[in-house]
Amino acid sequence: MAPIRLGLVGTGGRGQIYADVVKAMSPERAVWSVMCDRQADVLEEFCTRNGLGPLPGVSSVSDLVERTDVDAVLICTPDYAHREPAEQCFGAGLHCLVEKPVATTAVDARAICQAARQSGCIMHLGFVLRYDPCAHQLREMVAAGAIGEPIVCLVHEAVGWFHGSTYMRRWNRLREYSGDMLLHKGCHTLDIINFICGAYPRRVAAMGGLQVFRARADAAESCDRCGRTADCLYYADQGPAYRERFYNTAGPQVLPDPLCVYNTDKDTTDTSCLVAEFDNGMRLSYTMSMVSPQGERRLTLIGTRGEIRCDMSTYRIHYWSLPDKPVQVIEVARPAGTGHKHHDMALLSDFLSRIEQSTDPTTGIIDAHMSGAVAFAALESIERGTFVDVEPL
């Protein structure tokens, strides 16, 4: 079988990750055919840095889709800029891996999913948590009936305080670009709930807003003009180690501007909670906070025959089955490497496998839609103060 010929749209952080992943793969599996970025100098530097040699580069998706040497495209543009390249690529009959979230508005998300459906091509979302061994273990246990019929799912998305503060110094703090923290960050967890339970939510009620990063009269607009730096947890320049941590957490784009996390302009939520009813009868309670000592995802699944508790950062699952049986502690093998390198490789490999095996694209499209539809419904519920139906595709 000939290798799958890939195109890349967007050479930022996620584009670099896929360049690293393809480099680690066998060239018999996938090869680059074309790179696309609006900035010629950025594109040239990206190709040079990654040793891609005389690889064709284009400045527009319109030029990319006219080529005859591309089978699939990885869309790694910013969150708010997925729709145009996705519609063009699907319209040209190309399979697409679209970075998460699928879009920052419900209208754009639906348009992308409809374009994928009409094309008959594979649509794959960049949800790396679907390839986490803990998520797979939980999915297998639920599917095997370990807890009987799922009744309740309790989830807390604990965003670490340091990670949370970086969101208030970059584009994520504006819904125009990120859709909201509940979408940008929460879509990972909301998606794996669907994945683990094999079900989709039907209606949602939510509350949320700014609880931590509210405007403060006793702080300035930037750290370099503020008199509270000595006792501010989020002071932007606490020395080289602090700045290196920012770089490793969020990238260099946050370093030059010592914006006050309290007084910078923003319209995202930093704290939210929602309840949802699923099509299998299960009910979900989900909360997110941005000031936890460390980042964690804590899940509890309760069913008619037992209960599962898991903190996905520990790779340890506690399982109780009825009636009155002792707890079983299940140690899940932690992936090798740092960050989610294992997950990135597994994600791209799965996308390629779906193309190679000509799998039914329907499930991937529905999964993509429902991963964002929950958050969109929740944000609408926050505004309206009522339950909101999660619209099917």
Side-chain angles (χ1 to χ4, degrees):
M1 181 180 293
I4 294 172
R5 301 167 299 176
L6 299 175
L8 177 68
V9 179
T11 57
R14 287 303 296 177
Q16 180 59 58
I17 286 172
Y18 290 121
D20 293 339
V21 170
V22 172
K23 190 181 300 182
M25 283 182 164
S26 166
E28 297 178 357
R29 191 83 194 279
V31 295
W32 293 114
S33 285
V34 61
M35 296 281 158
C36 178
D37 197 290
R38 290 181 299 178
Q39 303 179 65
D41 56 337
V42 171
L43 185 58
E44 181 179 0
E45 193 277 332
F46 179 86
C47 291
T48 301
R49 183 174 72 247
N50 289 286
L52 296 175
L55 194 67
V58 297
S59 60
S60 72
V61 179
S62 297
D63 291 334
L64 184 151
V65 299
E66 289 180 359
R67 301 184 64 88
T68 59
D69 59 350
V70 183
D71 302 310
V73 178
L74 313 185
I75 297 175
C76 300
T77 51
D79 297 5
Y80 58 88
H82 288 170
R83 179 174 175 175
E84 182 177 352
E87 286 185 319
Q88 288 189 58
C89 290
F90 282 128
L94 297 170
H95 305 293
C96 292
L97 190 159
V98 183
E99 262 308 307
K100 69 86 196 169
V102 62
T104 55
T105 69
V107 171
D108 283 357
R110 181 173 291 275
I112 292 171
C113 291
Q114 294 287 18
R117 175 178 281 177
Q118 291 167 10
S119 74
C121 295
I122 299 292
M123 179 179 181
H124 209 71
L125 260 287
F127 283 121
V128 291
L129 280 185
R130 282 186 170 232
Y131 305 92
D132 185 88
C134 233
H136 275 266
Q137 180 70 40
L138 292 170
R139 177 180 168 89
E140 289 171 8
M141 292 177 70
V142 171
I147 60 171
E149 187 178 322
I151 300 172
V152 174
C153 181
L154 308 171
V155 180
H156 180 56
E157 179 106 20
V159 181
W161 69 275
F162 197 94
H163 194 179
S165 69
T166 72
Y167 278 73
M168 300 306 166
R169 287 197 171 103
R170 47 186 167 132
W171 54 268
N172 307 78
R173 70 185 189 273
L174 300 171
R175 289 189 182 183
E176 176 185 0
Y177 303 121
S178 69
D180 191 85
M181 172 64 88
L182 183 59
L183 174 71
H184 179 83
K185 186 71 174 173
C187 67
H188 272 301
T189 305
L190 294 169
D191 175 69
I192 61 163
I193 294 166
N194 299 346
F195 175 72
I196 290 168
C197 299
Y200 297 117
R202 285 181 171 172
R203 61 178 188 145
V204 175
M207 296 179 289
L210 279 175
Q211 296 288 113
V212 179
F213 298 105
R214 296 172 174 171
R216 291 178 54 168
D218 61 344
E221 291 185 1
S222 63
C223 294
D224 55 358
R225 293 182 296 188
C226 187
R228 297 297 305 273
T229 57
D231 63 351
C232 181
L233 182 65
Y234 304 108
Y235 175 41
D237 195 3
Q238 298 181 27
Y242 190 90
R243 292 174 70 80
E244 182 179 3
R245 187 176 179 185
F246 256 106
Y247 184 97
N248 292 334
T249 302
Q253 69 271 23
V254 302
L255 291 175
D257 300 316
L259 300 174
C260 175
V261 294
Y262 299 105
N263 289 337
T264 187
D265 56 326
K266 65 180 78 71
D267 60 1
T268 186
T269 60
D270 63 22
T271 306
S272 56
C273 61
L274 66 84
V275 293
E277 187 175 60
F278 279 64
D279 55 16
N280 66 348
M282 185 188 77
R283 292 182 173 89
L284 165 71
S285 174
Y286 169 93
T287 56
M288 174 189 283
S289 62
M290 291 177 64
V291 292
S292 295
Q294 60 185 17
E296 297 175 334
R297 288 182 177 89
R298 308 171 198 148
L299 292 82
T300 298
L301 294 156
I302 302 170
T304 55
R305 301 291 297 175
E307 180 174 327
I308 298 169
R309 297 179 192 171
C310 176
D311 177 348
M312 291 184 67
S313 65
T314 65
Y315 288 89
R316 182 178 295 114
I317 296 171
H318 290 80
Y319 167 54
W320 292 263
S321 61
L322 296 177
D324 303 325
K325 293 185 179 180
V327 62
Q328 295 181 40
V329 180
I330 301 169
E331 301 285 351
V332 180
R334 187 185 294 269
T338 59
H340 46 65
K341 290 182 180 179
H342 161 272
H343 306 63
D344 293 319
M345 176 64 79
L347 169 67
L348 184 56
S349 182
D350 189 29
F351 175 52
L352 298 176
S353 293
R354 293 184 66 201
I355 296 171
E356 292 163 347
Q357 298 164 14
S358 300
T359 60
D360 181 359
T362 306
T363 299
I365 296 169
I366 294 174
D367 285 342
H369 171 73
M370 295 303 293
S371 66
V374 183
F376 294 134
L379 291 168
E380 183 180 345
S381 175
I382 291 172
E383 296 294 327
R384 290 172 46 186
T386 63
F387 268 96
V388 173
D389 292 335
V390 179
E391 293 191 18
L393 184 62

